[in-house]
Amino acid sequence: MTLTDTPAAARGRVRRRPGPGVVLSFLVLGLAVLAAFAPGLLAHQSPVEGEVLEKLRPPSAEHWFGTDHLGRDVYARVVHGAGLSLRAPLIAVAIAFGAGCTLGLVSGFLGGPVDAVIMRLVDILLAVPSLLLSLAIVAALGFGITNVAVAVGVASVAAFARITRAEALRVRSSPFVEAATTLGVRGPQVLLRHVLPHAVGPALVLSTLEFGTAILSVSALSFLGYGEPPPTPEWGKIVSEGRDYLATAWWVALLPSLVIAATVLATNRLSRWFDARGERI
Amino acid sequence: MAKYLASRALQALPVLLGTFTLAFVLLSVLPSDALSIKLSGSGDSALSQEEIARLRAEQGYDDPLPLQYVRQLGGLLTGDMGVSLHTGSPVVSMIGSALPHTARLAVAALLVGVTAGLVIGSLAAHARSRALRELLMSVPPLGISFPTFAVGLVLIQVVSFQWRALPSGGTDGFESLVLPALTLSLPVTATVAQIFARSLREVLDQGYIDTATAKGAGRLRLHLAHAVRNAAGPSLTATGMVIGNLLGGAVVTETVFSREGVGRLTADAVTRQDLPVVQGVVLLSALVFVVVNLLVDLTYPLLDRRVTLTEATR
Amino acid sequence: MSAASPGRGVTVAPGPADGAADTGPLLSIEDLRVTYRVRGGTREAVRGVSLEVHAGQTVAVVGESGSGKSTTAHAVNGMLAPGARVTGGRITYAGQDVAALSRAGLRRLRGAEIGLVPQDPGASLNPTARVGDQIAEALVIHRIASRRDAAGHALRLLAEVGIDRPELRARQFPHELSGGMRQRVLIAIAIAAGPRLLIADEPTSALDATVSRRVLDHLAGLSAEHGIALLLITHDLAMAAERADRIVVLREGQVVEQGDARELITSPRRGYTRDLLADTPSLRSGRLIPARERRDEGEPLLKVRGLVKTFGRAGSADAVRAVDDVGFDVGRGRTVAVLGESGSGKSTTARILLGLEHPDAGSVLLDGTELTTLGAAGLRQARRRLQIVQQNPYTSLDPRFTVRRVVAEPLRAHKIGTPRERDARVEEMLDAVALPSDLADRRPRELSGGQRQRVAIARALVLRPEIVVCDEPVSALDVTVQAQILDLLTRLQRELGVSYVFISHDLAVVRQIADEVLVMRHGAVLEHGSAEAVFAEPSHPYTRDLLAAVADPFHQPRAEHPDAADRETAR
């Protein structure tokens, strides 16, 4: 929801071996992925059925994150919520990466009127803040996690298109591409062998960064109530349900928030790490 | 200058028209039109099929799309963005009455965010010890990794509920502004700090910094007389981008703090699928974007004399 | 350690008579060691360098890239890059240990005692501050003048370094000045606070030859006039020999030899110095190939006629005629050099020959085929016979490709041979350019600059073209590597009978290999003829200027150029 590092410019320090931060980030993401695919392995309580007598209990050995107003185990809801809360950003990034890279490459390589038209389109997408654009798309498509994913994806197409185009332009005017042309390599071959591999690199790094941003956007939309209807657990929605009990039971809202933040922090850290590694190549 | 402004205004028109078209396509064409969403969504079964049909005809939803497009565009030019499907009042006046609250919030967040960002960025770029530099630079990523709603909720829990220092919500008075502005300023701080630190480090590697050092200039002089101005450009551009994003952030912030404003208006409109209002807000954001970009481009030549106004057009 | 007293004018440095300085050397470096922190450890860049600079003396430190010459210079005023550390030895300035100085002490030393003339005038002036203010700042910092008086001093300094209309220039920003003028401004900044020692770090490597000669003359004049000692850092042994009293030759962080300038180049004691002397283009006496008479062998291979190229909208004020009626012939197996400084249109001419740029008018005939009107397919066919070697071997090779793939690419593009035949051809080419075959599977970043340029040459020759356009093929390389590449190019020409169009700004390089020379300036050909004739009896004054700008180690420069040519712009 905010302007973050563009990876091409995010110059991290180059390290040979991953530092403790990177290892920790891998660990956090590994747990999140495990939760998404096999929640049963991490939490045995039911995410949807609670015991009313046990409601709003603070964190304990039995309920790690406490219980919510319906007596449901918050930890179990977070673990089971990982599936939707991570799949939606993944779909979003896939959409943005696919559409954005195609637009950017075509734009950067063909140039001329095609470039002008595509870049005006990108300008328009950039003129509306991405969260607002997602909201408008959700308003039009209707609620539900799939629509949220599509909305968040469309809203970040522009970033991918721009970075791929810039990279395509840079590589296209580089001496080695000029050399290839002079050697007699055909246009499409130049695009395939020289431009594409270079242009996709930064976009891949951007996609790890955008994945973090997409987690935030999806959870914000879910927090505002545009995701799946209850009682399906989603991270944003779990927080929003706990909001009303903040004064008496902070854990219902704040512990899931912490999980979201940790996941995003981990993806951002890995993104910087990939970027730094990429620079060495 | 006047000529430049006129040409810039002319350039901004396609973006605004494009945004309008995009919003029109999205909201009028995609699944169904605004009115049938409204009528089917609200569970208002009191209306018969005939009544729905009559309403549709009355509001012009049965006309061919090009005609609707032209009519809406005509309305827009005369300052008419239609009426809310929920309240029935004009979209323009709804946004107009909500805007001052959001503007106050956004300006406060911007001031706090940019100041904090510049300070953190400067300290990080100049820090002599590597540990301090890494510590300072690990703060901004935290700022953009925390969901806005989570930051708001933590502030409410700690400051309002535990310390009882500031109100947890409301629209009036300075006190109610502090927590939302802090919440909204966090991404601004993070962005500005990161970008400013990076540009500063790049600038500090430049030859002219060596020249100044060789003159015998101290660190403060290097920073203030040579580095800041040369490093400010990217941060200025980033701030321009962030201002647009504040409107998006306001949706969450105003909801969390139960404040009135454009963000809250948007959230309510999306919940009720009140499409004309959503369309109005989208157009407003594009207008803000265009104006802010113009201001940024006008400021650029003041920072760097190599940039002339015609070049700044990009 | 006080700065020059204001009463004597700001640029007058204290002479040797000022006290303790005249007993010993002004600057003495003893067994200096500097270590860089690099990934996975440390690297010693300077390994025990000792040298002395006496008041008023010019000492040149000469070395190729990586010799530690710049690091040594930066250690003197405590301006080493972050990550670099002095790990041994002593630097003494006017009897004072520089390493023992506090930060404040170092600041008092910089500017007031030791001035720096940096390498790249394009990047060394603050782009957002006015020129006059940048000069005045040096005076304000050392409290030599108040802010108001400093502005007046800055004007005088601008005049002193030979810039016309100082009042106008002082109010301008660096981007409004030419490269030569910027370097003069930097000299003005360096001498502003009246230092006794100037460090000039490759002060002219970014300037055209004729401009750099004037700047160096002026620097020499100023240092003679004010008795400022000069520590000149350069890669150019010829320039050092011409300008310095003493020369210190560095290699891989160590002093190879040092001594009186004239003595060192007339009777070098070390093998490396002899190699360096032999490889320095302007000192290389002989030609690499014997001059060949123009034979009447019938039609020339390449006929270029009446090329014109204008950039910018035609007729508008900013339209530039980059190439203006250029024409020449290239015979089989011969080398035609296009010689010119930046902006002369030589590179645009090359790009037109290669079909990368369309001329507004004129024709390029390759063995009777008109190239300028060919379509994409025809041009591709023509390119089997016409190839390119570019200037910068660091960017002309795709960093993702292995050497083998780079060299094989033209073969694949033209669908020549089976994979096995291609492999054999690649091996053959690598052998021809004297690259060991175990480099074939490396990527460009694992190669040195010279090795990369060999790869680029192998790639250009793999299709057995009849003509190769070499665009500044050696200007990004160290002199010893330069000489190797030039030797390689001439050997390949002998063996393969290929013709070269050789684009260069370096007269000394051109003189070694060209059969014919075109001298270009502002897009037009000023002079065209056999290399012998052009260099022996230049007919155009500009060519004479260029010839004069080649450093001549046995020529002692006049202390100050009184003539108007010294001024950057005519008044």
Side-chain angles (χ1 to χ4, degrees), chain C residues 262-392:
Chain C
R262 187 165 293 251
E263 206 172 290
L264 189 132
I265 60 159
T266 45
S267 49
R269 289 190 302 269
R270 300 285 170 163
Y272 178 72
T273 314
R274 277 195 288 274
D275 286 351
L276 211 54
L277 274 169
D279 292 339
T280 298
S282 55
L283 298 179
R284 267 184 132 176
S285 44
R287 294 173 49 86
L288 291 175
I289 38 169
R292 288 168 293 192
E293 280 306 304
R294 187 168 194 162
R295 286 160 296 169
D296 267 335
E297 80 230 311
E299 274 296 285
L301 181 61
L302 188 74
K303 277 170 79 171
V304 181
R305 291 291 176 274
L307 289 184
V308 174
K309 176 78 187 173
T310 307
F311 289 112
R313 239 171 305 140
S316 71
D318 55 338
V320 179
R321 273 214 151 179
V323 176
D324 194 357
D325 192 20
V326 170
F328 55 91
D329 287 345
V330 183
R332 284 178 199 277
R334 294 174 67 83
T335 301
V336 174
V338 181
L339 178 66
E341 304 193 321
S342 51
S344 63
K346 58 185 193 304
S347 291
T348 311
T349 307
R351 293 176 62 82
I352 293 173
L353 299 186
L354 292 161
L356 294 170
E357 205 83 66
H358 269 285
D360 302 336
S363 83
V364 177
L365 281 172
L366 176 65
D367 215 6
T369 315
E370 175 60 55
L371 297 186
T372 55
T373 53
L374 280 180
L379 203 53
R380 250 171 48 77
Q381 282 315 306
R383 278 172 174 159
R384 291 183 60 165
R385 312 173 60 185
L386 178 71
Q387 286 291 332
I388 180 177
V389 174
Q390 287 148 306
Q391 169 170 13
N392 191 339

Side-chain angles (χ1 to χ4, degrees), chain B residues 234-290:
Chain B
S235 307
L236 183 68
T237 309
T239 308
M241 303 284 282
V242 167
I243 290 176
N245 286 317
L246 285 177
L247 205 54
V251 177
V252 175
T253 312
E254 288 176 358
T255 304
V256 169
F257 289 96
S258 314
R259 275 179 71 87
E260 284 169 37
V262 178
R264 188 74 180 288
L265 186 70
T266 313
D268 290 345
V270 174
T271 308
R272 296 178 183 131
Q273 293 192 283
D274 193 346
L275 297 185
V277 176
V278 176
Q279 197 176 5
V281 176
V282 167
L283 281 178
L284 171 72
S285 71
L287 187 68
V288 169
F289 176 84
V290 164

Side-chain angles (χ1 to χ4, degrees), chain A residues 2-87:
Chain A
T2 179
L3 186 96
T4 51
D5 273 355
T6 52
R11 305 285 182 221
R13 213 181 351 281
V14 181
R15 279 199 192 142
R16 206 168 268 279
R17 212 175 298 164
V22 173
V23 174
L24 193 68
S25 300
F26 267 118
L27 212 67
V28 168
L29 274 195
L31 275 177
V33 169
L34 189 63
F37 283 99
L41 285 180
L42 292 175
H44 54 273
Q45 275 114 330
S46 162
V48 289
E49 278 157 40
E51 292 172 49
V52 184
L53 290 175
E54 294 275 298
K55 71 175 183 178
L56 298 177
R57 290 283 160 87
S60 63
E62 196 187 344
H63 303 289
W64 289 1
F65 287 9
T67 61
D68 68 3
H69 61 294
L70 297 175
R72 296 176 295 194
D73 182 66
V74 175
Y75 172 70
R77 284 181 66 71
V78 169
V79 168
H80 284 267
L84 287 180
S85 306
L86 292 179
R87 211 173 303 149

Side-chain angles (χ1 to χ4, degrees), chain A residues 175 178 183-184 186 194 198, chain C residues 351 380 387 390 398 409 414:
Chain A
E178 202 156 79
L183 298 167
R186 287 186 185 82
H194 293 285
H198 284 273
Chain C
R351 293 176 62 82
R380 250 171 48 77
Q387 286 291 332
Q390 287 148 306
D398 190 327
E409 191 178 27
H414 291 283

Side-chain angles (χ1 to χ4, degrees), chain C residues 140-182:
Chain C
V140 174
I141 287 172
H142 295 288
R143 300 177 200 283
I144 293 172
S146 70
R147 200 170 282 275
R148 184 174 303 171
D149 296 343
H153 285 308
L155 292 182
R156 241 174 293 150
L157 281 160
L158 276 172
E160 189 169 355
V161 295
I163 286 182
D164 63 322
R165 287 182 292 167
E167 291 84 4
L168 170 74
R169 300 302 180 196
R171 282 195 309 273
Q172 285 183 316
F173 287 89
H175 69 277
E176 297 168 287
L177 270 52
S178 71
M181 276 199 269
R182 280 184 224 163

Side-chain angles (χ1 to χ4, degrees), chain B residues 34-57:
Chain B
L35 191 68
S36 36
I37 285 181
K38 161 74 180 156
L39 294 180
S40 60
S42 60
D44 233 335
S45 50
L47 289 175
S48 67
Q49 287 299 318
E50 291 79 44
E51 277 173 305
I52 291 177
R54 191 179 52 78
L55 268 171
R56 288 180 59 88

Side-chain angles (χ1 to χ4, degrees), chain B residues 137-220:
Chain B
M137 282 324 285
S138 65
V139 176
L142 273 175
I144 42 179
S145 299
F146 266 81
T148 312
F149 55 82
V151 175
L153 292 178
V154 169
L155 284 178
I156 291 178
Q157 159 69 14
V158 176
V159 181
S160 301
F161 294 163
Q162 294 203 335
W163 301 348
R164 303 191 180 280
L166 288 163
S168 69
T171 313
D172 302 317
F174 175 75
E175 290 194 336
S176 72
L177 186 65
V178 176
L179 291 186
L182 271 181
T183 308
L184 198 54
S185 75
L186 206 60
V188 181
T189 307
T191 309
V192 173
Q194 268 180 336
I195 289 176
F196 192 58
R198 193 165 60 223
S199 341
L200 265 181
R201 274 199 305 258
E202 267 166 31
V203 164
L204 289 175
D205 280 343
Q206 297 292 313
Y208 52 83
I209 295 295
D210 285 346
T211 306
T213 311
K215 285 180 201 170
R219 292 161 72 84
L220 196 63

